[in-house]
């Protein structure tokens, strides 16, 4: 429970800044491990899950590296490196375990409100792409995490798998696809809302909307003081917390800088915006059931290669193509144009300039995307769906991602495309930067927060016992994961109503 020592502001055990999937997941896990912890959630907007975690702002791919070709780079000797793919797949398994336990315990209700089986497919055209895809499938087939991945270069079978993409596809070019039936589409917005509904029903958790954290400082008593502005009244108040998680998405970098912890030194951010083409013709949407990823275009950021995706959003089946990457200086979709300039300080100016100089190609690519006409965008769609009619598609704005710029010893400022948890040495504060693989790794991120910020409690018998129920795959070594992966995945699928 929150306490209020004489004359002071109330003290909470945990302050979660931002009401997206990351805070929701960490909050839900902490509540299960330690029901008596007092928590406050501080969200600047008037609803939860309205930034990147909203289903319309992200692609909803349960990232398992089944279809995303950027997770399996080709080495100089022509072999395929599957280490990143295995890591991403294992992280998503943790999310599935957690959701299954939360469904079983009644917290998440009907899993069809947020999770659906949708085959994950990679699609390539041309001899070089077909050869790559074949070698990739062969390399992945040695890992139990990818059991069931199928390769096909037979046009008749492909036309059966992907009827919409073969409408109007003429010519005799060689093409191929891989298919994984264990792929998923996740409505991270619906999931986040459900997790917060459950959290807010507890007497120890307080959910504050339109509460913007403007500053935070650590005092000699070891407590963090968060300066919080009520955006309705304009009034400021102080919240004191023993532990702070900055799950503020694009807003996290600014708050991390304000915290002045030494670990924050040298970090910068580079925003990448996005847009989708949304199909407004249900007869077209009904003829496609897959998430189909292609090969990234030269110079494009790895997470921005367009894909043709079946989605289930708010219970409705949708078809989206994108995201088309773009550039805006905002760090949040509902942020300020001054976000990027305000994030620059003496500590990160040099790394940011160095990263900019190293990524001139990327800047050119993003600028090109911003300037693309609607016709050019529909042309990109026709590479997937040649018979696409302009009138069936409308442009909608996706979420913002802020890629991490990091000062690497000996390398200078480096632009990263992953996610990075920054925590202070005594474990009283952690912040999550970056957005890829993103929401799919929320459980892995929460577990890392526990390891780095609550190591003693985590090692204790109580937390370990609870975690074995909540996330059965947590802590499994590589070999154990290999032997148990199939059985764990099948058990989750039964609870979550998935095909595999
Ligand atoms: C175009 C796009 C496609 C993506 N596709 C996928 C995908 O297919 N699969 C996947 O797994 N991930 C995907 N992601 C990434 C995923 O959406 C994010 O990693 C994830 O939603 C981040 O969750 P979060 O809780 O950290 O941030 P958010 O959901 O953005 O939540 C942060 C919250 O913090 C609030 N906030 C910010 N500053 C403050 C402040 N000062 N005080 C109080 N509140 C504050 C914001 O209003 C917001 O509500 C995609 C992202 C984008 C943009």
């Amino acid at each position: 429970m929150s306490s209020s020592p004489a004359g002071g502001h109330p003290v909470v055990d945990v302050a979660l800044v931002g009401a997206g999937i990351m805070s929701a997941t960490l909050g839900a896990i902490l509540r299960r491990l330690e029901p008596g912890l007092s928590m406050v959630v501080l969200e600047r907007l008037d609803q939860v899950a309205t930034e990147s975690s909203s289903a319309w702002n992200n692609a909803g791919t349960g990232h398992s590296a089944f279809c995303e070709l950027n997770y399996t780079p080709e080495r100089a000797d022509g072999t395929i490196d599957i280490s990143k793919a295995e890591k991403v797949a294992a992280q998503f398994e943790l999310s599935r375990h957690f959701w299954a336990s939360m469904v079983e315990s009644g917290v998440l209700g009907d899993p069809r409100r947020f999770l659906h089986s949708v085959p994950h497919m990679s699609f390539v055209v041309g001899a070089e792409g077909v050869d790559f895809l074949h070698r990739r499938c062969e390399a992945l087939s040695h890992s139990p995490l990818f059991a069931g991945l199928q390769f096909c270069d037979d046009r008749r079978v492909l036309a059966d798998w992907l009827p919409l993409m073969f409408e109007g596809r003429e010519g005799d070019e060689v093409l191929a696809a891989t298919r994984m039936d264990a792929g998923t589409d996740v409505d991270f917005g619906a999931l986040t809302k459900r997790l917060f509904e459950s959290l807010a029903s507890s007497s120890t958790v307080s959910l504050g909307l339109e509460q913007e954290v403007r500053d935070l400082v650590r005092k000699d008593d070891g407590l963090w003081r968060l300066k919080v502005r009520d955006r309705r009244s304009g009034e400021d108040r102080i919240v004191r917390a023993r532990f702070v998680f900055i799950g503020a998405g694009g807003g996290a970098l600014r708050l991390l800088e304000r915290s002045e912890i030494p670990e924050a030194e040298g970090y910068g951010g580079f925003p990448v915006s996005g847009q989708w083409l949304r199909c407004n013709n249900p007869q077209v949407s009904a003829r496609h059931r897959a998430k189909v990823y292609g090969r990234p275009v030269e110079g494009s950021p790895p997470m921005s290669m367009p894909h043709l995706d079946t989605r289930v959003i708010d219970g409705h089946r949708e078809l989206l193509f994108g995201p088309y990457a773009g550039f805006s200086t905002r760090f949040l979709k509902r942020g300020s144009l001054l976000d990027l300039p305000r994030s620059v300080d003496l500590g990160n100016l040099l790394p940011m300039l160095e990263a900019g100089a190293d990524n001139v190609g990327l800047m050119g690519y993003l600028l090109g995307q911003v300037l693309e006409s609607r016709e050019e965008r529909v042309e990109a769609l026709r590479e997937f769906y040649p018979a696409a009619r302009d009138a069936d598609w409308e442009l909608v704005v996706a979420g913002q991602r802020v890629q991490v710029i990091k000062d690497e010893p000996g390398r200078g400022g480096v632009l990263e495309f992953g996610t990075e948890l920054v925590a202070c040495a005594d474990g009283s504060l952690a912040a999550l930067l970056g957005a890829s693989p993103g929401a799919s790794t929320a459980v892995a991120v929460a577990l890392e927060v526990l390891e780095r910020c609550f190591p003693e409690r985590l090692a204790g018998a109580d937390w370990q016992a609870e975690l074995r129920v909540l996330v059965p795959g947590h802590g499994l070594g590589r070999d154990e994961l290999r032997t148990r992966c199939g059985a764990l995945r099948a058990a989750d699928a039964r609870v979550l109503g998935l095909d595999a």
Side-chain angles (χ1 to χ4, degrees), residues 421-433:
L421 186 74
V422 182
C424 68
D426 68 1
S428 66
L429 178 141
L432 187 71
L433 302 178

PDB file of all heavy atoms in Angstrom, residues 421-433:
ATOM      1  N   LEU A 421      17.136  -1.996 -22.734  1.00  0.00           N
ATOM      2  CA  LEU A 421      16.699  -1.656 -21.385  1.00  0.00           C
ATOM      3  C   LEU A 421      17.862  -0.974 -20.676  1.00  0.00           C
ATOM      4  O   LEU A 421      18.942  -1.549 -20.561  1.00  0.00           O
ATOM      5  CB  LEU A 421      16.297  -2.922 -20.629  1.00  0.00           C
ATOM      6  CG  LEU A 421      15.691  -2.656 -19.261  1.00  0.00           C
ATOM      7  CD1 LEU A 421      14.263  -2.122 -19.390  1.00  0.00           C
ATOM      8  CD2 LEU A 421      15.684  -3.921 -18.417  1.00  0.00           C
ATOM      9  N   VAL A 422      17.641   0.248 -20.224  1.00  0.00           N
ATOM     10  CA  VAL A 422      18.683   0.984 -19.508  1.00  0.00           C
ATOM     11  C   VAL A 422      18.248   1.019 -18.042  1.00  0.00           C
ATOM     12  O   VAL A 422      17.133   1.440 -17.730  1.00  0.00           O
ATOM     13  CB  VAL A 422      18.824   2.428 -20.047  1.00  0.00           C
ATOM     14  CG1 VAL A 422      19.951   3.157 -19.328  1.00  0.00           C
ATOM     15  CG2 VAL A 422      19.077   2.414 -21.547  1.00  0.00           C
ATOM     16  N   ALA A 423      19.127   0.554 -17.151  1.00  0.00           N
ATOM     17  CA  ALA A 423      18.758   0.520 -15.729  1.00  0.00           C
ATOM     18  C   ALA A 423      19.878   1.132 -14.910  1.00  0.00           C
ATOM     19  O   ALA A 423      21.054   1.003 -15.264  1.00  0.00           O
ATOM     20  CB  ALA A 423      18.505  -0.917 -15.280  1.00  0.00           C
ATOM     21  N   CYS A 424      19.537   1.805 -13.809  1.00  0.00           N
ATOM     22  CA  CYS A 424      20.600   2.363 -12.988  1.00  0.00           C
ATOM     23  C   CYS A 424      21.161   1.273 -12.071  1.00  0.00           C
ATOM     24  O   CYS A 424      20.493   0.274 -11.788  1.00  0.00           O
ATOM     25  CB  CYS A 424      20.151   3.607 -12.229  1.00  0.00           C
ATOM     26  SG  CYS A 424      18.956   3.340 -10.973  1.00  0.00           S
ATOM     27  N   ALA A 425      22.398   1.492 -11.634  1.00  0.00           N
ATOM     28  CA  ALA A 425      23.156   0.429 -10.965  1.00  0.00           C
ATOM     29  C   ALA A 425      22.425  -0.143  -9.748  1.00  0.00           C
ATOM     30  O   ALA A 425      22.474  -1.349  -9.510  1.00  0.00           O
ATOM     31  CB  ALA A 425      24.522   0.965 -10.563  1.00  0.00           C
ATOM     32  N   ASP A 426      21.719   0.694  -8.992  1.00  0.00           N
ATOM     33  CA  ASP A 426      21.067   0.169  -7.786  1.00  0.00           C
ATOM     34  C   ASP A 426      19.676  -0.404  -8.074  1.00  0.00           C
ATOM     35  O   ASP A 426      18.955  -0.808  -7.151  1.00  0.00           O
ATOM     36  CB  ASP A 426      20.982   1.257  -6.721  1.00  0.00           C
ATOM     37  CG  ASP A 426      20.018   2.364  -7.121  1.00  0.00           C
ATOM     38  OD1 ASP A 426      19.410   2.275  -8.213  1.00  0.00           O
ATOM     39  OD2 ASP A 426      19.864   3.333  -6.351  1.00  0.00           O
ATOM     40  N   GLY A 427      19.297  -0.430  -9.335  1.00  0.00           N
ATOM     41  CA  GLY A 427      18.032  -1.066  -9.711  1.00  0.00           C
ATOM     42  C   GLY A 427      16.790  -0.275  -9.353  1.00  0.00           C
ATOM     43  O   GLY A 427      15.683  -0.800  -9.434  1.00  0.00           O
ATOM     44  N   SER A 428      16.917   1.010  -9.005  1.00  0.00           N
ATOM     45  CA  SER A 428      15.718   1.757  -8.614  1.00  0.00           C
ATOM     46  C   SER A 428      14.993   2.380  -9.810  1.00  0.00           C
ATOM     47  O   SER A 428      13.898   2.929  -9.646  1.00  0.00           O
ATOM     48  CB  SER A 428      16.087   2.858  -7.611  1.00  0.00           C
ATOM     49  OG  SER A 428      16.906   3.820  -8.245  1.00  0.00           O
ATOM     50  N   LEU A 429      15.594   2.295 -11.005  1.00  0.00           N
ATOM     51  CA  LEU A 429      14.938   2.869 -12.191  1.00  0.00           C
ATOM     52  C   LEU A 429      15.359   2.082 -13.430  1.00  0.00           C
ATOM     53  O   LEU A 429      16.526   1.701 -13.561  1.00  0.00           O
ATOM     54  CB  LEU A 429      15.341   4.339 -12.357  1.00  0.00           C
ATOM     55  CG  LEU A 429      14.795   5.080 -13.578  1.00  0.00           C
ATOM     56  CD1 LEU A 429      14.415   6.521 -13.207  1.00  0.00           C
ATOM     57  CD2 LEU A 429      15.787   5.117 -14.734  1.00  0.00           C
ATOM     58  N   ALA A 430      14.394   1.852 -14.307  1.00  0.00           N
ATOM     59  CA  ALA A 430      14.708   1.232 -15.596  1.00  0.00           C
ATOM     60  C   ALA A 430      13.882   1.921 -16.662  1.00  0.00           C
ATOM     61  O   ALA A 430      12.757   2.363 -16.397  1.00  0.00           O
ATOM     62  CB  ALA A 430      14.389  -0.265 -15.563  1.00  0.00           C
ATOM     63  N   ALA A 431      14.457   2.032 -17.860  1.00  0.00           N
ATOM     64  CA  ALA A 431      13.735   2.666 -18.970  1.00  0.00           C
ATOM     65  C   ALA A 431      13.920   1.818 -20.210  1.00  0.00           C
ATOM     66  O   ALA A 431      14.997   1.262 -20.436  1.00  0.00           O
ATOM     67  CB  ALA A 431      14.289   4.069 -19.220  1.00  0.00           C
ATOM     68  N   LEU A 432      12.853   1.748 -21.012  1.00  0.00           N
ATOM     69  CA  LEU A 432      12.946   0.956 -22.235  1.00  0.00           C
ATOM     70  C   LEU A 432      13.019   1.871 -23.451  1.00  0.00           C
ATOM     71  O   LEU A 432      12.139   2.697 -23.668  1.00  0.00           O
ATOM     72  CB  LEU A 432      11.721   0.042 -22.360  1.00  0.00           C
ATOM     73  CG  LEU A 432      11.848  -0.934 -23.524  1.00  0.00           C
ATOM     74  CD1 LEU A 432      12.896  -1.992 -23.232  1.00  0.00           C
ATOM     75  CD2 LEU A 432      10.516  -1.574 -23.829  1.00  0.00           C
ATOM     76  N   LEU A 433      14.077   1.696 -24.233  1.00  0.00           N
ATOM     77  CA  LEU A 433      14.247   2.482 -25.459  1.00  0.00           C
ATOM     78  C   LEU A 433      14.098   1.558 -26.664  1.00  0.00           C
ATOM     79  O   LEU A 433      14.344   0.367 -26.574  1.00  0.00           O
ATOM     80  CB  LEU A 433      15.636   3.127 -25.489  1.00  0.00           C
ATOM     81  CG  LEU A 433      16.007   4.047 -24.320  1.00  0.00           C
ATOM     82  CD1 LEU A 433      17.435   4.562 -24.485  1.00  0.00           C
ATOM     83  CD2 LEU A 433      15.038   5.222 -24.218  1.00  0.00           C
TER      84      LEU A 433
END
